[in-house]
Amino acid sequence: MPTNSKFRRMSQPKHPAAHSLPRHTLTRLAREWLAEDTPNFDPAGVCVGSRGVEARLLCKTPDSILAGSPFFAAVFAEVGCTVDWVYQDGAEIGPDAVTLTAVVRGPARCLLLGERPALNCLARASGIATRCAQLRAMAKAGGWHGEVAGTRKTTPGFRLVEKYAMLVGGVSTHRQDLSGMVMLKDNHVWASGSITEAVKAARSVCGFSSKIEVECRSTAEGREAAGGGADIVMLDNFHPQELHAAARALKDEFPALLIEASGGVTPENLALYFSPHVDIISLGCITQGCPVVDFSLKVQKVQNAHQACTPETGSKQTSPKCRETFF
């Protein structure tokens, strides 16, 4: 392990949200990702063998928020490697064009088995956390009291990573799945006959322990939902000015009602939806079409030459000592 104090071994979670991740779940996901990427032989493993190597994790997207380190570390733990971190989840990486983020050590063929699954998790999670942090900053700058939230529009099989990234980025995850909070959308209402009947049927099953949210397309629908016992009314695809009027009217009549705005909200127009009568604004773009953060993992070796490329910059340096270069 490096003697420099800037390195941190991920033996314990370093972000509060990481304490919500069960170890057995991390192990299960890591094994699934590894099995997907290497279902049988690894012919390239023959080329590198099992000698011990060190690889540097480099972030090449400045001003990004790091997220996903528990998943990254879990993948490498499964293949017998260790990870020492320079940054922890929630930290901003940069502003340099290339930033050393962690060091991974282990047998060469094992380290390379874990490389792509681990990087996929980190790149996706960090991209989402970065966008979430930007949205949260916009809400704070606008003086808005409510919560920015994600949605259930997540990548199949990758929801836990993406919801975790939302927490690291500082926004609400919204509901985790259909078994959590009840959300009655237009299709539920049309299939059951009315908002009132849909709310009544849902309450008979979920009881007191789950909130019920109803997607509404008008103030009248919102009033029916609240009157029928819904806890949250989602005003869906409202123009901002129409949203503000509807939210105020419903809050005046039902002060305890939570109002959510959704549909058509983007980072570019988010501020238009801020209102003292709106409690939640949810955005599908937190996970759909979100840019990823560019990470790479570069294996190092000692080279007995006077000239070598440094991993961070790729520039030539002359030194009487051995330098590190890409494997």
Side-chain angles (χ1 to χ4, degrees), residues 1-2 7-12 14 82-85 105:
M1 182 175 180
F7 287 91
R8 303 177 180 91
R9 176 68 56 85
M10 283 295 294
S11 57
Q12 296 294 327
K14 295 297 184 180
T82 61
V83 184
D84 297 313
W85 294 90
R105 292 182 177 83

Side-chain angles (χ1 to χ4, degrees), residues 10 13 32 57 69 81 83 86 107 111 153 157 175 184 186 191 204 259 265 285:
M10 283 295 294
E32 290 175 356
L57 176 67
S69 63
C81 298
V83 184
V86 179
L111 190 149
K153 296 176 180 177
R175 59 177 178 163
L184 303 175
D186 51 5
S204 71
I259 302 293
V265 187
C285 66

Side-chain angles (χ1 to χ4, degrees), residues 246-271:
R248 180 170 184 171
L250 290 170
K251 282 285 193 178
D252 286 345
E253 191 170 349
F254 305 95
L257 184 68
L258 292 176
I259 302 293
E260 176 178 344
S262 189
V265 187
T266 67
E268 291 73 28
N269 65 17
L270 174 64

Side-chain angles (χ1 to χ4, degrees), residues 59-81:
C59 178
K60 298 186 285 187
T61 307
D63 305 317
S64 298
I65 302 298
L66 179 66
S69 63
F71 303 96
F72 185 94
V75 169
F76 280 112
E78 278 302 299
V79 293
C81 298

Side-chain angles (χ1 to χ4, degrees), residues 171-247:
V171 308
S172 171
T173 62
H174 213 292
R175 59 177 178 163
Q176 300 294 327
D177 47 51
L178 288 176
S179 298
M181 181 185 72
V182 180
M183 181 181 289
L184 303 175
K185 301 176 76 67
D186 51 5
N187 286 330
H188 296 95
V189 172
W190 295 338
S192 63
S194 71
I195 289 175
T196 302
E197 288 300 317
V199 172
K200 181 180 178 181
R203 184 63 71 189
S204 71
V205 177
C206 71
F208 69 90
S209 62
S210 296
K211 291 182 178 180
I212 296 177
E213 179 170 7
V214 181
E215 178 184 273
C216 300
R217 298 170 298 165
S218 67
T219 305
E221 288 187 352
R223 188 173 289 113
E224 181 183 355
D231 304 287
I232 308 169
V233 164
M234 175 195 284
L235 300 177
D236 189 45
N237 286 310
F238 276 60
H239 185 276
Q241 293 306 315
E242 296 173 345
L243 168 74
H244 301 323

Side-chain angles (χ1 to χ4, degrees), residues 12-313:
Q12 296 294 327
K14 295 297 184 180
H15 188 279
H19 292 279
S20 67
L21 297 171
R23 183 176 294 275
H24 66 271
T25 301
L26 291 171
T27 299
R28 174 180 59 80
L29 289 172
R31 289 175 178 175
E32 290 175 356
W33 296 329
L34 287 164
E36 177 188 55
D37 206 39
T38 315
N40 40 70
F41 289 117
D42 173 32
V46 176
C47 305
V48 297
S50 296
R51 66 184 181 88
V53 294
E54 174 181 296
R56 294 188 174 190
L57 176 67
L58 306 175
C59 178
K60 298 186 285 187
T61 307
D63 305 317
S64 298
I65 302 298
L66 179 66
S69 63
F71 303 96
F72 185 94
V75 169
F76 280 112
E78 278 302 299
V79 293
C81 298
T82 61
V83 184
D84 297 313
W85 294 90
V86 179
Y87 293 89
Q88 62 188 41
D89 278 4
E92 183 173 337
I93 302 176
D96 296 336
V98 178
T99 303
L100 176 64
T101 307
V103 174
V104 183
R105 292 182 177 83
R109 66 182 184 87
C110 299
L111 190 149
L112 296 176
L113 279 175
E115 176 186 14
R116 181 43 52 195
L119 287 176
N120 286 347
C121 293
L122 205 65
R124 178 75 172 147
S126 297
I128 291 171
T130 301
R131 171 163 284 182
C132 289
Q134 293 166 347
L135 296 173
R136 182 188 61 181
M138 291 176 62
K140 182 178 181 180
W144 183 56
H145 73 285
E147 292 193 46
V148 176
T151 70
R152 204 162 48 88
K153 296 176 180 177
T154 54
T155 307
F158 214 57
R159 179 173 296 173
L160 184 65
V161 178
E162 295 174 351
K163 292 287 190 177
Y164 171 80
M166 294 180 201
L167 292 176
V168 173
V171 308
S172 171
T173 62
H174 213 292
R175 59 177 178 163
Q176 300 294 327
D177 47 51
L178 288 176
S179 298
M181 181 185 72
V182 180
M183 181 181 289
L184 303 175
K185 301 176 76 67
D186 51 5
N187 286 330
H188 296 95
V189 172
W190 295 338
S192 63
S194 71
I195 289 175
T196 302
E197 288 300 317
V199 172
K200 181 180 178 181
R203 184 63 71 189
S204 71
V205 177
C206 71
F208 69 90
S209 62
S210 296
K211 291 182 178 180
I212 296 177
E213 179 170 7
V214 181
E215 178 184 273
C216 300
R217 298 170 298 165
S218 67
T219 305
E221 288 187 352
R223 188 173 289 113
E224 181 183 355
D231 304 287
I232 308 169
V233 164
M234 175 195 284
L235 300 177
D236 189 45
N237 286 310
F238 276 60
H239 185 276
Q241 293 306 315
E242 296 173 345
L243 168 74
H244 301 323
R248 180 170 184 171
L250 290 170
K251 282 285 193 178
D252 286 345
E253 191 170 349
F254 305 95
L257 184 68
L258 292 176
I259 302 293
E260 176 178 344
S262 189
V265 187
T266 67
E268 291 73 28
N269 65 17
L270 174 64
L272 298 177
Y273 291 83
F274 295 158
S275 164
H277 309 294
V278 173
D279 303 289
I280 307 141
I281 302 176
S282 56
L283 302 87
C285 66
I286 285 178
T287 49
Q288 292 191 325
C290 183
V292 299
V293 173
D294 186 9
F295 287 97
S296 65
L297 196 63
K298 296 299 181 183
V299 176
Q300 313 296 299
K301 75 172 183 179
V302 174
Q303 177 175 299
N304 294 314
H306 293 293
Q307 285 193 328
C309 293
T310 59
E312 291 82 359
T313 64

